[in-house]
Amino acid sequence: MAIRINLDVMMAKRKMSLNELSEKVGITLANLSILKTSKAKAIRFSTLEEICKALDCQPGDILEFVPDEENGGR
Amino acid sequence: MKITGKRSITWFLKIAVDLVLVINIIVLIALPFILNAIYNSPALQPGQSGERVSTLWLINEIPDESYAFMLIFLYFSGICTAFMLFSLHRVLRNLADGRILDHANASALKHLSVACGSLVSAFIVKIIFYNTFLTMFCFFIFIVLALFSLILSEVFRQGAVVKEENELTI
């Protein structure tokens, strides 16, 4: 996966739990968990907007591009 | 009436397919006896021309040496149809359970297509040795069914991929 999700890092910085974020963003815990564990195949702009609003951050703070070699060829 | 789900058309069709599958297996077990009865049937005894003519369109001429061929042919086609019905049962069970765009359906339909293809090959052999109108008719029906189920399996596979992607879009 070339795109890494740093949702847990931002959540730790904002001291926000998964439950709290799920309530603020309006998506289920299961979907948030899929996103956090990088199992998601795509993210809607509307979801990204809500996450950025809830965590008071930029999309770049959550999403990071990692070249495949650096990623261990995963 | 509902198309898919419990107590739907799919559910009733699954019961019908199960019933036909059971009959198929019973006929397969009793095949040598049934074939013996057909060969000894008074309707199939030699006529004025000395040839026995089937009223079932099973075979036009039934010389005694055709018995072994017919037994092997019917066993093979019986196993193929049992496999086809089982694949159809799997698809209908999934549809009745609400699993519509599923990889399991694509796989079952591919198996159905393979079984139809095997049946087509058996019919080609029968056309070469003991051709009848009904054999040719079944041959074309099963070619269409094999190709149609192959196309349908690809449709289900692509549907399952799209569904998976949609489910993993947050």
Side-chain angles (χ1 to χ4, degrees):
Chain A
M1 176 73 76
I3 301 291
R4 185 185 287 165
I5 309 281
N6 292 322
L7 196 63
D8 40 0
V9 176
M10 280 314 292
M11 279 164 63
K13 276 184 187 171
R14 301 288 184 258
K15 294 187 174 63
M16 197 179 282
S17 71
L18 209 61
N19 273 318
E20 204 179 333
L21 184 64
S22 148
E23 273 172 31
K24 279 192 175 175
V25 175
I27 59 173
T28 62
L29 264 175
N31 277 346
L32 208 54
S33 177
I34 289 170
L35 193 62
K36 212 178 123 215
T37 52
S38 296
K39 282 179 187 159
K41 288 201 173 180
I43 180 164
R44 288 188 189 93
F45 281 146
S46 57
T47 311
L48 194 59
E49 194 182 318
E50 288 303 316
I51 291 171
C52 288
K53 253 188 223 171
L55 292 172
D56 189 26
C57 64
Q58 291 298 313
D61 297 329
I62 302 166
L63 307 174
E64 184 192 355
F65 172 70
V66 184
D68 274 346
E69 302 85 59
E70 201 181 311
N71 206 25
R74 273 191 298 147
Chain B
M1 195 173 186
K2 287 192 296 178
I3 303 287
T4 56
K6 293 279 172 218
R7 305 270 166 194
S8 62
I9 293 172
T10 309
W11 190 77
F12 284 112
L13 189 60
K14 187 182 87 73
I15 292 171
V17 166
D18 289 353
L19 201 69
V20 176
L21 182 59
V22 169
I23 294 168
N24 190 133
I25 291 166
I26 292 168
V27 168
L28 256 180
I29 293 165
L31 193 59
F33 308 105
I34 295 169
L35 206 58
N36 270 334
I38 290 172
Y39 270 76
N40 296 326
S41 163
L44 296 173
Q45 292 312 305
Q48 285 178 337
S49 63
E51 288 172 346
R52 294 182 282 195
V53 180
S54 167
T55 51
L56 298 169
W57 289 4
L58 191 65
I59 34 182
N60 284 335
E61 300 166 14
I62 49 163
D64 287 335
E65 61 268 23
S66 72
Y67 179 84
F69 174 86
M70 288 309 292
L71 191 66
I72 293 165
F73 168 76
L74 290 174
Y75 260 126
F76 182 77
S77 48
I79 290 165
C80 285
T81 48
F83 195 65
M84 277 166 59
L85 289 165
F86 181 67
S87 300
L88 203 58
H89 159 90
R90 279 173 60 202
V91 173
L92 293 171
R93 184 193 58 200
N94 286 343
L95 295 181
D97 290 347
R99 293 193 304 273
I100 297 161
L101 293 174
D102 200 300
H103 284 290
N105 286 341
S107 154
L109 281 165
K110 198 167 252 178
H111 290 159
L112 179 68
S113 169
V114 169
C116 287
S118 309
L119 205 52
V120 165
S121 64
F123 275 108
I124 290 172
V125 175
K126 182 154 187 300
I127 285 172
I128 293 168
F129 292 105
Y130 298 101
N131 191 21
T132 64
F133 173 74
L134 191 62
T135 307
M136 286 196 290
F137 181 75
C138 290
F139 169 75
F140 286 112
I141 290 281
F142 283 110
I143 279 185
V144 170
L145 203 61
L147 296 177
F148 184 71
S149 47
L150 192 66
I151 292 165
L152 212 56
S153 92
E154 181 57 18
V155 169
F156 270 85
R157 193 194 64 78
Q158 286 191 19
V161 168
V162 169
K163 183 176 171 263
E164 212 172 77
E165 202 157 298
N166 185 51
E167 277 172 356
L168 289 174
T169 297
I170 312 298

